[in-house]
Amino acid sequence: MSVGIRYDWQQSEIRAIYDAPFLELVYRAASVHRQYHDPKQIQVCKLISIKTGACPEDCGYCAQSSRYKTEVKPEALLDKDTVVGIARQAKVSGVSRVCMGAAWREVRDNSQFDQVLDMVKEVTSLGLEVCCTLGMLNQNQAERLEAAGLYAYNHNLDTSQEYYSTIITTRTYDDRLNTINNVRQTNVTVCSGGILGLGETAEDRVSMLHTLSNLHPHPESVPINILSKVKGTPLENQEDVPVWDVIRMIATARIIMPASDVRLSAGRAKLSQVEQALCFLVGANSIFSSDDGHMLTVTTPCPEYDADQQMMSLLGLEPRAPFVKQDLVKDKALV
Ligand code: SAM
Ligand code: SF4
């Protein structure tokens, strides 16, 4: 059965997919995955925290919020040479996408933003896809990032509209959607997903997927994070997310947004290789890997390049080259 791309998914339809008998869901998601993607290929990404800590926002999960006492020590903006050095090293290790994250509420038109634009130019010139996650931005700022060569902008919805204010009070869901819309006015691709384990219900997860899958076009990239419980944050004592829920979430995202990359992101370090293999089978086609055992800050563990290369060869997977997806999508006129 061939599945086209739809932007009119009803929440009840998504819920039915999420709740389907487990092996039915696995089979359906794996079939859709093969229709739109080369199942041997996984994109390996590297996150670089270019500006760590002291963020004024109150996101209840985040080690970088200035409101919570966590292990994270605030740092100034990294200089360009440091960032380019990490990116170069990542490229040799099979990474094709580098994501630069800043603990900012929003982008300001100042010299720090000029420095970030410079980093984007230089890392892009290494032949890597560059993604930035810098908080809220307006359309002009999105255009400046586009002019610098930015490939993707990450801005996660994190959870459902209904549950959002339980987790974050310093901005609204509409603020989030506005930034995504500002990025959409440019040729920069959109990366937006969420976190499992914030205390949300299955309906909240489905509601978030409903919002994402009704965006037209879909976000090209959908990260699925599992909460890294950070000591000192309001969510430090949340219950673990059953791996079954992680697989259901990835499978559902794959079925309703078939051409998007689904990224198995934070929390992967907690999963066994067998569990990760199931995630890849149902459509996850990207991982974050690191040189130092953490993803963004010291509070988020992340498997290292060598361990991931070993797992990928065990599973017969290969790292995807940069910009391949763009060409594939154009060739097949999928969007
Ligand atoms: N300040 C920017 C923003 O919020 O958009 C960018 C940086 S923020 C660290 C990027 C994303 O990381 C968040 O949207 C969230 O989804 C994810 N994240 C942060 N802390 C996390 C945690 N403890 N566990 C899982 N995901 C987390
Ligand atoms: Fe700041 Fe982003 Fe962390 Fe929220 S998720 S506290 S905006 S760094």
Side-chain angles (χ1 to χ4, degrees), residues 144-164:
R144 292 181 68 194
L145 284 163
E146 176 185 31
L150 188 72
Y151 185 75
Y153 195 80
N154 164 271
H155 206 60
N156 291 332
L157 290 180
D158 282 340
T159 189
S160 67
Q161 179 140 35
E162 299 75 23
Y163 196 56
Y164 200 71

Side-chain angles (χ1 to χ4, degrees), residues 8-73:
D8 61 351
W9 289 99
Q10 302 296 304
Q11 196 158 317
S12 55
E13 290 177 285
I14 302 173
R15 181 72 204 241
I17 297 171
Y18 182 88
D19 286 337
F22 187 76
L23 293 178
E24 286 300 318
L25 177 60
V26 169
Y27 181 73
R28 184 172 169 193
S31 309
V32 172
H33 186 50
R34 275 157 176 69
Q35 209 188 311
Y36 286 86
H37 304 267
D38 178 346
K40 287 194 302 297
Q41 297 217 326
I42 295 283
Q43 183 168 45
V44 184
C45 311
K46 163 73 181 154
L47 250 170
I48 307 176
S49 183
I50 58 169
K51 160 71 189 79
T52 302
C55 181
E57 299 286 80
D58 70 352
C59 311
Y61 49 77
C62 188
Q64 303 201 70
S65 166
S66 61
R67 321 228 170 182
Y68 317 126
K69 206 174 158 345
T70 72
E71 272 177 61
V72 169
K73 290 193 191 69

